[in-house]
């Protein structure tokens, strides 16, 4: 997400993310490039995994804003390096903030934002993917080593969200930004706390 340069044409594939800010974000961006040199994406936690839309992006964005109207910024804690065995994606696992992201995801999975996601939603920060299978053990060991060596803050505040769109070159364009409010009011009418269907 948030590629540093775009070379492709936009396609019907969208996501909602929160970029990791500050020193931790700089460290994770560098680690991603060290693990997979071709990676140009910024480190982030995903609230809505990539999906096609059956409505226009403006309608989807309106729904995102309505859901987010009741949320204040919240902290996410990165605790250790883990692996999704079915995809060999290497990621930083979440402690604090995991349940909060699950709740937001459930609310997003309604109406125009609903999508039959191929995997159960599991919030995390991706570090490495799409590399040659024979490099897996080496890359995983390096990720764990760098994480042990890092002495900076390992948590961050989710307060800014970005609605992004993919391209046919598989880079991502930031379409809209949103700041979670510090003092949220009552939840908007019509925003449901449970999805019509989850995968």
């Amino acid at each position: 997400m948030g590629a540093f340069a775009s070379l492709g044409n936009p396609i019907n594939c969208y996501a909602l993310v929160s970029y990791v800010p500050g020193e931790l974000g700089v460290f994770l961006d560098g680690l991603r490039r060290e693990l997979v040199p071709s990676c140009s994406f910024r480190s982030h936690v995903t609230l809505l995994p990539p999906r096609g839309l059956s409505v226009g992006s403006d309608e989807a964005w309106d729904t995102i804003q309505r859901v987010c109207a009741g949320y204040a910024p919240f902290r996410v804690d990165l605790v250790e390096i883990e692996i999704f065995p079915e995809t060999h994606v290497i990621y930083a696992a979440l402690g604090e903030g995991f349940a909060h992201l699950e709740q937001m995801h459930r609310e997003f999975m309604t109406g125009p934002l609903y999508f039959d996601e191929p995997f159960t939603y599991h919030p995390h920060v991706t570090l490495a993917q799409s590399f040659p299978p024979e490099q897996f053990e080496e890359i995983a060991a390096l990720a764990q080593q760098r994480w042990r060596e890092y002495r900076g803050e390992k948590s961050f505040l989710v307060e800014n969200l970005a609605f992004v769109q993919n391209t046919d070159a598989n880079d991502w364009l930031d379409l809209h930004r949103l700041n979670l409010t510090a003092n949220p009011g009552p939840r908007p009418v019509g925003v449901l706390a449970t999805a019509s269907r989850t995968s």
Side-chain angles (χ1 to χ4, degrees):
M1 309 294 172
F4 295 105
S6 176
L7 301 175
N9 299 307
I11 61 175
N12 182 24
C13 183
Y14 300 83
L16 183 68
V17 304
S18 179
Y19 296 118
V20 181
E23 178 189 1
L24 179 59
V26 171
F27 166 73
L28 293 174
D29 289 347
L31 178 56
R32 293 189 67 157
R33 290 191 296 273
E34 181 180 11
L35 299 176
V36 182
S38 61
C39 178
S40 62
F41 301 143
R42 293 177 58 188
S43 56
H44 61 274
V45 62
T46 300
L47 291 90
L48 269 181
R51 68 201 50 232
L53 296 176
S54 59
V55 299
S57 61
D58 287 344
E59 183 176 344
W61 178 238
D62 287 344
T63 301
I64 289 169
Q65 292 180 93
R66 287 197 298 273
V67 171
C68 289
Y71 280 97
F74 60 96
R75 187 155 297 279
V76 165
D77 184 31
L78 304 184
V79 293
E80 58 186 339
I81 305 304
E82 295 186 359
I83 296 156
F84 289 125
E86 65 274 25
T87 58
H88 278 186
V89 170
I90 300 166
Y91 65 94
L94 275 55
E96 181 183 354
F98 187 97
H100 205 119
L101 288 162
E102 283 188 313
Q103 171 64 24
M104 293 186 76
H105 176 263
R106 283 193 294 271
E107 295 198 27
F108 286 130
M109 283 285 283
T110 61
L113 297 177
Y114 175 77
F115 184 72
D116 189 10
E117 296 175 355
F119 301 103
T120 299
Y121 179 66
H122 185 107
H124 63 280
V125 176
T126 296
L127 298 178
Q129 61 184 346
S130 303
F131 48 81
E134 63 272 15
Q135 296 180 8
F136 169 70
E137 290 187 4
E138 176 185 354
I139 291 174
L142 180 58
Q144 291 165 345
Q145 176 185 341
R146 292 289 185 260
W147 186 247
R148 288 192 300 269
E149 294 170 347
Y150 178 64
R151 293 292 179 262
E153 180 71 34
K154 291 186 176 180
S155 66
F156 65 98
L157 198 64
V158 173
E159 56 183 345
N160 303 300
L161 308 183
F163 186 46
V164 298
Q165 183 176 15
N166 200 9
T167 77
D168 55 12
N170 196 33
D171 46 34
W172 292 83
L173 310 171
D174 286 3
L175 298 181
H176 300 287
R177 293 291 187 97
L178 177 151
N179 294 326
L180 297 180
T181 58
N183 297 295
R187 303 308 301 276
V189 174
V191 176
L192 304 179
T194 57
S196 59
R197 180 179 170 195
T198 58
S199 56

